[in-house]
Amino acid sequence: MMQHLDMALLSAFVERWQPDTNTFHMPFGEISILLHDTLKSDMGGLVRLSVDAQVGGKWKSKWYDNGAMHAEGLLVSGGELKIKEMEVQCYLFVLLGSTLFVDKSRDRIRPVINLFLKDHLQLTDYAWGAGALAYLYRQLGVAIRAGSKGLCGCLTLLQAWIYEYFPLFRPSQLPQSPDAPRASSWISPRLPGGDEARQRLARYQQLLDELSADDVTWTPYGRDGHTDIPRSLYTGPIRFSDIAEGYDPARCLRQFRYRQIIPRAMTVPHDQYRPASDSSYIVFWDPWVNQLWDNVAAHRLDLNFASRPCEHPSEIVEEYVDWFLIRSHPRITHPTDGVPQP
């Protein structure tokens, strides 16, 4: 589906991203990509370069430049080494760098990913879904900066998530076997850019402004998604490498089929620097937060203590709307603007 991303649709959602809460702010409240949504989707050793050369970005070749390795070159180098283990490591490096942890270079992959691939026996021990989600949260936060251009991260996850939760934007869907990737069922057509993309963006903006909570499929994977994925109720920062982003399911209780209440204050970074330029986007967390993920039982939202099951999928407490409207702006377009025709 990567070749069929609707960048106008993604942009319309990115405009509503709030990096302080890592949620999309809609007219009806907050909604986000949660951990159960992700599961329902050493450079030097590989290319015979020194570590200093990698980090400094001074070594250049037709495959390696500007601190990153070209994906094609990595696969070629892996095959030339004639070492099966290295070839597999190169393949995994390219796979992760071109799917879960995509950056704006498009065809280059940053060396940090390979730090997690050195020991093949540990690959299944890592929380790849949480890592990909932390990385996507960060990229969404960067993308809303005034000086930022483009969007990266696992955009296939983002677009598939939109299709799951928002029927208004869904394309047609193919039947598939139970073990097939869920995102691969969507038939997302190739869409033109230019003026037509700008017209689609304007229409998406207007449609989102008019969206109600009843237009959302709050539990597309069934009512008990959090039972299948218990860590989806974890509360605290999620990480990938040096990136840490706040995660709080209490802000999105309707996605667990529970009545939305006014959420408590989130665990927040010690400090943060989010200027217009995306190159200087920095978030600082206190060291103790790194221990939260290892003790999920003690940092897991108790749904029955926080709220109660919904009688209606979009149920909220009475005071929630007033609380939310004071803290957000539910519309992107001017109320008098018409909906552009497709």
Side-chain angles (χ1 to χ4, degrees):
M1 198 172 73
M2 286 291 290
Q3 299 179 5
H4 305 290
L5 292 173
D6 185 348
M7 295 308 299
L9 179 61
L10 301 183
S11 297
F13 274 81
V14 170
E15 291 174 336
R16 295 178 171 275
W17 184 254
Q18 171 50 257
D20 290 325
T21 58
N22 284 331
T23 56
F24 295 101
H25 280 209
M26 298 295 184
F28 48 80
E30 296 177 87
I31 187 171
S32 191
I33 309 173
L34 300 177
L35 284 172
H36 62 267
D37 293 311
T38 69
L39 300 176
K40 290 291 187 185
S41 41
D42 168 25
M43 173 69 71
L46 295 176
V47 293
R48 298 295 191 259
L49 303 179
S50 70
V51 174
D52 291 339
Q54 304 164 31
V55 175
K58 298 178 181 179
W59 194 94
K60 294 184 178 182
S61 74
K62 66 176 181 177
W63 297 128
Y64 189 86
D65 192 7
N66 194 27
M69 187 74 181
H70 283 266
E72 182 183 354
L74 191 58
L75 290 175
V76 170
S77 299
E80 290 175 345
L81 291 174
K82 305 299 184 184
I83 303 173
K84 189 62 177 180
E85 185 175 281
M86 287 295 189
E87 190 173 355
V88 170
Q89 191 169 339
C90 287
Y91 173 78
L92 291 173
F93 195 0
V94 172
L95 179 66
L96 294 171
S98 59
T99 54
L100 301 185
F101 307 106
V102 182
D103 68 12
K104 294 180 182 179
S105 66
R106 302 284 181 169
D107 63 344
R108 294 199 299 265
I109 303 172
R110 299 297 169 183
V112 65
I113 298 173
N114 198 49
L115 296 176
F116 302 96
L117 303 179
K118 288 186 175 182
D119 187 346
H120 295 174
L121 297 178
Q122 290 186 347
L123 287 177
T124 57
D125 295 335
Y126 294 125
W128 293 108
L133 190 58
Y135 186 78
L136 180 58
Y137 279 1
R138 175 60 58 85
Q139 301 311 320
L140 289 170
V142 170
I144 63 170
R145 301 293 94 192
S148 179
K149 295 181 179 179
L151 174 64
C152 56
C154 188
L155 301 186
T156 300
L157 170 61
L158 176 57
Q159 184 158 306
W161 176 84
I162 294 171
Y163 291 162
E164 295 283 0
Y165 282 86
F166 299 90
L168 184 63
F169 303 109
R170 286 177 186 169
S172 55
Q173 191 175 19
L174 289 172
Q176 60 177 174
S177 62
D179 58 342
R182 191 175 177 111
S184 65
S185 67
W186 301 109
I187 307 174
S188 185
R190 292 179 182 272
L191 297 168
D195 290 340
E196 291 190 36
R198 285 186 284 274
Q199 290 176 6
R200 288 200 314 279
L201 174 59
R203 180 169 178 78
Y204 292 149
Q205 290 170 332
Q206 187 74 35
L207 291 173
L208 286 174
D209 277 350
E210 297 172 353
L211 209 64
S212 75
D214 292 335
D215 295 319
V216 178
T217 302
W218 288 101
T219 52
Y221 320 110
R223 186 181 184 115
D224 299 323
H226 58 282
T227 302
D228 297 333
I229 314 296
R231 279 188 184 264
S232 195
L233 293 174
Y234 160 79
T235 300
I238 52 177
R239 300 183 60 91
F240 171 69
S241 186
D242 61 339
I243 292 174
E245 290 288 335
Y247 177 86
D248 188 0
R251 309 190 77 90
C252 305
L253 291 177
R254 286 174 285 187
Q255 290 177 251
F256 301 99
R257 202 62 182 270
Y258 273 68
R259 183 180 60 162
Q260 183 61 56
I261 62 172
I262 295 176
R264 68 205 182 297
M266 287 184 65
T267 302
V268 297
H270 171 72
D271 195 9
Q272 53 200 6
Y273 181 61
R274 295 178 176 134
S277 171
D278 59 351
S279 62
S280 303
Y281 190 107
I282 304 173
V283 179
F284 299 97
W285 291 85
D286 288 323
W288 62 267
V289 303
N290 295 331
Q291 304 170 15
L292 301 184
W293 181 262
D294 295 327
N295 190 9
V296 172
H299 303 282
R300 185 173 183 266
L301 176 66
D302 185 337
L303 288 173
N304 291 311
F305 178 80
S307 183
R308 61 170 173 80
C310 286
E311 295 180 2
H312 183 276
S314 58
E315 187 179 353
I316 58 175
V317 295
E318 184 176 353
E319 59 271 23
Y320 175 77
V321 171
D322 291 338
W323 172 88
F324 177 72
L325 293 179
I326 292 173
R327 292 161 175 78
S328 187
H329 49 88
R331 297 186 64 92
I332 295 295
T333 62
H334 192 277
T336 60
D337 291 347
V339 179
Q341 296 300 312

